Structure formats: structure tokens, C-alpha cells
Amino acid sequence: MSIDARGRACPEPVLMTKKSLSANPEGVEILVDNVTAMENIKRFATNQGYQVTVEEQGEDYLLKITK
Amino acid sequence: MKAKTLVIIAGVVVGVFALLLTAFGNPANMGFCIACFIRDTAGGLKLHSAGVVQYVRPEIIGLVLGAFIVSLVSKEFSPRAGSAPGSRFVLGFFMMIGALVFLGCPLRMMLRIAGGDLNAIVGLVGFVAGILIGIAFLNKGFSLKRAYKISKADGYIFPAIQVVLLVLLLGLPALLAFSAEGPGSMHAPIALALIAGLVVGGVAQKSRLCTAGGIRDAILLKDFTLLTGFIVIIAVVLIGNIALNNFNLGFEGQPIAHNDGLWNFLGMALVGWAAVLLGGCPLRQLILSGEGNVDSAITAVGMLIGAAFAHNFGLASSGQGPTLNGQIAVIIGFIVVAAIGFTNLQKGDA
């Protein structure tokens, strides 16, 4: 499951992550294009007990969220 | 942890500068007020002719430029636009109307609480109610859709406008209007106000401080990071006010405030609702516009025009209370914000 949250205003990237994780509890991948969204998703997923790795893709960030 | 530390530092910095600005001439409980200062700037630029609220506030210039500089240095300056700019303009407009019926943005609401103004507690209850409505829309799939990368040059325009305002203020003040009396005449020295704006703009950029975001994240995501900043600001200013003998608990005779509970509640409810749909409070909109977010710059222009309308058409409250026109404008605001809310619910996302 992969989501494109680029260009979304706060708190949409986190909400998209939340919604996606409840449908795919094993993990999701999310693409964002700013540091704020990257940090917010990372904080949210970590608080939910997930592992998060961040991969820089040019000016975007791909977050891989796994159990 | 790092995010929370940054937010706490930002809260302390905002609190200390708010106290300093008040001590050095800003109106009581108005160290910072994004709504009031944009309103004063609108007056200073003669967009309205209310003589008591005319002054191009250096704090606003500093906030945008502080965020601009820090975002450039930290490579977070990223020009973008295209997320429903028309809706954002209108939301900014009515966010300003709500704030001027209450007499303060959410940041000033916090400073008023820290000064003992109990009317601001009523405002806070309204603000939270508005945020709850906004959250209900978010949960139903509300979105102003995505923004896109735009040219660097376009992102520089709003910060550049602030530089022009500063040049006018320092070099060609004869072009501007300056209040001889009233809140617009009460201000800290330009240098202090500008430095306060720059520093707070910088720390607000780094910490993502947002008055609406704090309450929103706590309710929606059980994330208390931003709310910590909210509480730290109130705590710092409360302690400062008690130490400086500026703490006066009560509803009556509060500085630049009225005690009409219903309209304090409704004014801030409109602000809270609009702020959640916008993704950030008035302060956050200024910071984002400094980072190159032109949608937020358009929101700030909406606030500026809203402020001009508020004083040209008698919508803003005074110490005597809200006006009939202001009450009608708030009700229209609720209808318009609801319309924007309902028309931007994403299908299949509910």
C-alpha cells in the first residue's frame, strides 16, 4: 500500500497515514514533499508502535512504515 | 522529544517577547496579536480609516522575514501554491472577522488569559468548539487538495513585500497613517518590535508552533507536542504578569476587550473552525507564507482585506461590545465556512 501525500496541508498527511494504517495494519509507504509532514508522520507512526525509515527522493521523502 | 523541546523553547521565546513588547509600549495583553497587528497594518496603509488602529506593525514584517530567513538557512524554503487559493482567501477573511469580533487572534487570546482576562476563557471555549467542528470535517474527508511546487521567484514575493513595508516605515513614513491615539498609537520601538518578530518568526518556523494545531492534534491524534507550546506561552506570560503586577483577574474593565460572552464565544469559534480548515492559525499562516507557501500568503491577504472591511463597515468590536454589523458578519462567516467545508468533502474518503 502506497500513498502520495505530497502538497497536502497539515494535518492531512498524518490523517492519510492513520486511515491507511487502519486498513493495512502491517504497514504502508507514504510519499511527502516537506520536512514538517515527514516529521509529523514519523512521530505519529512511532507513537503507534511502528518502525519508520525515511528515504530522500530528490526533494521528496518516502516514509516506509512497518510493524 | 526533539520536536517537543523545540516547541517548549518557542513557547518561552514567544512569552518573553510578548512581555517585553508590552513593557516597552504595546497595548496591554497585546505583546503579539496577529489579527490586531494585521488590522493596524491595514490602517497604516490606509485600507481603512479607523484612526485609532493605524500603524504598520514591524512585528508582522519580522515574523514573515524571520520564518523566511530560517527556512532558507535550513533548506526548508519551498515555494508552493495551488491548494484552493480562493477558498483560503475567504477563510482568511472570515478568520479575521471572527478575531476582530472577539478582539484578538488565538495568540492574543492566550495572552489575555495570562493577564487574567476571563472573557478570553470564554473565547477559548469557543475556539475549542470551532476546532471540534473543523475536526469533524477533517474526519469526513475535508481537503483543500494538494499544493504544487512553483518557481522560487514566486515564493520570494510575499517576503519581499514585507521588505517594502519596512522600507516605507523607516524611509517614507509620510506615506503611511499613524494613530495619534488608541491601540495603534501604543507600540514598542520599531527596532524591538522588528527583532521580536524576526526571532519569534524563526523559532515558530523551526518548531511549527500553531495555536489551533495544538488543540487539533491533541484531540485528533492524541499528540500533545504543539499543545505544549500553547501551555508554555500562557505559563510564561502569566508568571511575568504576576511578577510585573499586570495580572488582573476578572471580566470587567479588561484592556481592549469586551464582556459579551456569546460573541466572544462565537467570534473565536469562527476562528477555530476556519483555522482547522486552513491547516493553521493566523500566526502559522504568516510563518508558512515566509516559507514560500503562496496559499498561506493569499490567506494573509484575505486577513488584511478582512481587517479593512471590519473597520470600514463597523464589524469590529470595541471595548463597549460587538456591533450589530459584526454579529451579522460572524453569522455570514459561519454560513460561508460551512459551505466551503461541505463542498470540499472528498467522496469515497468519508
Side-chain angles (χ1 to χ4, degrees):
Chain A
M1 181 70 190
S2 170
I3 315 164
D4 183 357
R6 289 177 296 171
R8 298 285 180 155
C10 230
E12 282 185 54
V14 178
L15 287 179
M16 291 163 86
T17 307
K18 190 181 175 189
K19 207 163 277 178
S20 181
L21 277 175
S22 53
N24 308 275
E26 289 310 309
V28 290
E29 288 188 4
I30 294 157
L31 191 62
V32 298
D33 62 355
N34 66 87
V35 184
T36 307
M38 184 267 282
E39 290 172 348
N40 287 345
I41 293 174
K42 204 174 159 185
R43 191 164 71 232
F44 171 76
T46 309
N47 287 344
Q48 303 290 310
Y50 284 93
Q51 305 283 330
V52 184
T53 58
V54 183
E55 199 176 285
E56 278 193 51
Q57 295 192 338
E59 291 179 28
D60 301 331
Y61 300 89
L62 180 69
L63 290 101
K64 293 180 176 172
I65 301 175
T66 49
K67 270 279 184 202
Chain B
M1 191 58 216
K2 190 169 159 265
K4 199 166 241 177
T5 313
L6 273 171
V7 168
I8 291 171
I9 293 169
V12 172
V13 169
V14 172
V16 168
F17 272 110
L19 288 164
L20 271 174
L21 288 168
T22 311
F24 281 91
N26 275 20
N29 297 342
M30 207 190 281
F32 285 100
C33 173
I34 309 309
C36 319
F37 291 178
I38 289 178
R39 182 256 338 257
D40 291 348
T41 297
L45 297 172
K46 303 177 191 174
L47 298 177
H48 68 68
S49 49
V52 291
V53 284
Q54 294 175 321
Y55 178 52
V56 173
R57 291 272 176 188
E59 290 92 338
I60 299 290
I61 297 169
L63 285 167
V64 175
L65 292 180
F68 173 65
I69 293 164
V70 170
S71 69
L72 273 185
V73 172
S74 62
K75 304 215 182 320
E76 289 182 12
F77 180 77
S78 104
R80 62 188 59 226
S83 164
S87 299
R88 289 183 188 273
F89 175 89
V90 173
L91 289 170
F93 182 99
F94 282 107
M95 189 158 70
M96 178 59 82
I97 302 296
L100 292 180
V101 166
F102 165 71
L103 289 174
C105 72
L107 183 52
R108 181 170 190 246
M109 174 190 76
M110 292 152 69
L111 301 178
R112 284 175 56 179
I113 290 172
D117 180 347
L118 295 175
N119 301 299
I121 298 279
V122 179
L124 175 62
V125 176
F127 188 52
V128 173
I131 287 172
L132 285 171
I133 301 173
I135 288 175
F137 275 83
L138 287 178
N139 282 334
K140 287 279 173 207
F142 174 85
S143 171
L144 290 177
K145 303 227 174 69
R146 64 163 298 184
Y148 295 87
K149 286 189 172 59
I150 55 171
S151 75
K152 276 254 175 353
D154 215 78
Y156 289 143
I157 288 176
F158 195 70
I161 290 171
Q162 307 308 313
V163 175
V164 172
L165 289 179
L166 185 60
V167 169
L168 288 178
L169 180 65
L170 296 174
L172 287 165
L175 288 179
L176 305 172
F178 292 86
S179 295
E181 53 174 2
S185 70
M186 302 164 73
H187 55 81
I190 290 177
L192 174 62
L194 185 64
I195 290 167
L198 285 167
V199 175
V200 168
V203 296
Q205 196 282 326
K206 277 314 306 169
S207 65
R208 334 292 186 205
L209 193 70
C210 176
T211 59
I215 295 168
R216 178 200 66 206
D217 288 356
I219 297 168
L220 186 60
L221 304 167
K222 311 280 178 278
D223 179 339
F224 298 90
T225 310
L226 291 177
L227 187 63
T228 313
F230 193 104
I231 293 162
V232 169
I233 292 172
I234 295 178
V236 168
V237 179
L238 178 66
I239 293 165
N241 278 334
I242 292 171
L244 298 166
N245 243 338
N246 284 335
F247 183 79
N248 303 297
L249 192 68
F251 285 98
E252 304 293 327
Q254 293 290 345
I256 316 176
H258 62 77
N259 58 11
D260 187 321
L262 176 65
W263 293 96
N264 280 329
F265 176 93
L266 290 175
M268 282 316 282
L270 183 56
V271 174
W273 188 3
V276 171
L277 298 192
L278 283 163
C281 70
L283 171 68
R284 184 76 185 141
Q285 298 302 326
L286 287 183
I287 302 304
L288 286 170
S289 59
E291 292 177 23
N293 186 325
V294 178
D295 292 327
S296 288
I298 297 289
T299 309
V301 174
M303 290 194 276
L304 182 79
I305 302 295
F309 271 61
H311 284 278
N312 283 338
F313 300 103
L315 314 180
S317 299
S318 70
Q320 275 73 54
T323 64
L324 177 62
N325 287 1
Q327 296 170 4
I328 294 168
V330 167
I331 291 166
I332 293 172
F334 277 113
I335 295 168
V336 171
V337 174
I340 290 174
F342 281 112
T343 50
N344 287 287
L345 297 180
Q346 307 298 304
K347 290 202 176 73
D349 207 19

